[in-house]
Amino acid sequence: MLKLICVVAVVGCSVAEKRCPPKSWRAEEVSLGLYLPKIDNVYEPRKEGDHSLVYYDADNKRSAIISNFTVGSKTGDNKYIFDYTAGKKYTIDLKANTCKSESFTETFKEWCITDDATFLYDAKLGYTADGTDTVDAKVYYTENVVHSHTVGHITAITSDLNVPIQSYTFGRGGDKYLLLSLVGNVASPIPAADADVFTPPASCSSSYLPEAELDLSAGPLRRLLLGL
């Protein structure tokens, strides 16, 4: 069982400096989202979760995600590859061993804590009382608007590499949902053993659309890279 103990020293709120992670890294993310959407004037509880490996390569403007996820009663094992230079997105259904390719025009999203974020406090994440095996982190608050809805984010990044390791995302203005994400096993640069993670299957089709494809994702890193 993963246990995190957060010991924080509040230093007040201030405008942050822009903080960016290394140009190349891989991280493991576990997320759980709880939602209460109003459907036909009735609130219906919903749960989403995922366990993903996320790959980020800013130098070559590409990213990849390997994910086991649950949306309601449905589950999936998908891999996504985004090649922003070529303008191609690949969706691979790992259970059905099928692949779909499609063109897209989005620009590569650099993952950074921007200078308009609010710095909240320094934190120490770990699981030992004597302070060993802990991670020093900085915590920030940001907001953005997605499909006319305001979303708040509390994000902890490592003090050394500026890689996100913990986050809470929540709806503002009446939107009822909460999303928790924990990130670990960070490696920078991307390990040589994973060098082929950005290579799509040779049989990938531009016309095939898996019937069971769920282009949904719970984790903040996945949402960022999927453009959700």
Side-chain angles (χ1 to χ4, degrees):
M1 179 182 294
L2 178 63
K3 296 182 180 179
L4 290 178
I5 300 174
C6 183
V7 180
V8 301
V10 178
V11 296
C13 297
S14 61
V15 177
E17 296 180 4
K18 184 176 181 180
R19 287 180 168 268
C20 300
K23 297 292 187 180
S24 171
W25 52 273
R26 181 208 66 195
E28 185 174 1
E29 180 181 36
V30 178
S31 298
L32 175 65
L34 301 174
Y35 302 80
L36 193 62
K38 193 173 185 179
I39 302 174
D40 296 329
N41 293 320
V42 177
Y43 286 105
E44 297 185 8
R46 180 179 178 181
K47 180 174 69 175
E48 297 182 6
D50 79 319
H51 180 192
S52 303
L53 283 174
V54 179
Y55 296 83
Y56 178 91
D57 180 3
D59 284 334
N60 296 295
K61 292 183 172 55
R62 58 188 183 178
S63 58
I65 304 156
I66 302 173
S67 176
N68 171 268
F69 60 95
T70 301
V71 180
S73 61
K74 298 180 180 180
T75 62
D77 286 289
N78 282 7
K79 177 179 179 180
Y80 304 88
I81 303 172
F82 300 85
D83 186 335
Y84 291 86
T85 301
K88 284 288 187 179
K89 171 188 172 183
Y90 303 90
T91 302
I92 301 109
D93 186 323
L94 299 175
K95 287 185 176 179
N97 196 28
T98 57
C99 178
K100 167 199 164 187
S101 68
E102 58 185 306
S103 299
F104 71 109
T105 58
E106 288 84 355
T107 58
F108 181 79
K109 298 176 178 65
E110 184 183 32
W111 201 102
C112 293
I113 293 293
T114 57
D115 55 10
D116 60 350
T118 300
F119 173 70
L120 298 179
Y121 50 79
D122 292 299
K124 189 177 290 290
L125 303 176
Y127 55 89
T128 55
D130 62 0
T132 60
D133 294 325
T134 59
V135 176
D136 291 327
K138 294 183 179 296
V139 183
Y140 298 86
Y141 177 75
T142 58
E143 284 186 357
N144 66 323
V145 177
V146 180
H147 305 306
S148 74
H149 298 274
T150 301
V151 180
H153 309 272
I154 298 175
T155 304
I157 64 172
T158 58
S159 297
D160 53 356
L161 294 179
N162 299 324
V163 173
I165 53 172
Q166 188 173 2
S167 69
Y168 298 90
T169 299
F170 49 90
R172 300 291 306 274
D175 293 321
K176 297 175 174 61
Y177 68 91
L178 174 66
L179 174 62
L180 167 65
S181 178
L182 301 175
V183 179
N185 296 331
V186 176
S188 178
I190 294 172
D194 294 340
D196 63 348
V197 70
F198 300 108
T199 303
S203 59
C204 208
S205 168
S206 61
S207 59
Y208 178 77
L209 178 62
E211 293 181 1
E213 179 183 340
L214 295 173
D215 200 9
L216 297 171
S217 54
L221 290 181
R222 293 191 59 209
R223 289 186 184 277
L224 168 79
L225 299 179
L226 287 173
L228 299 176

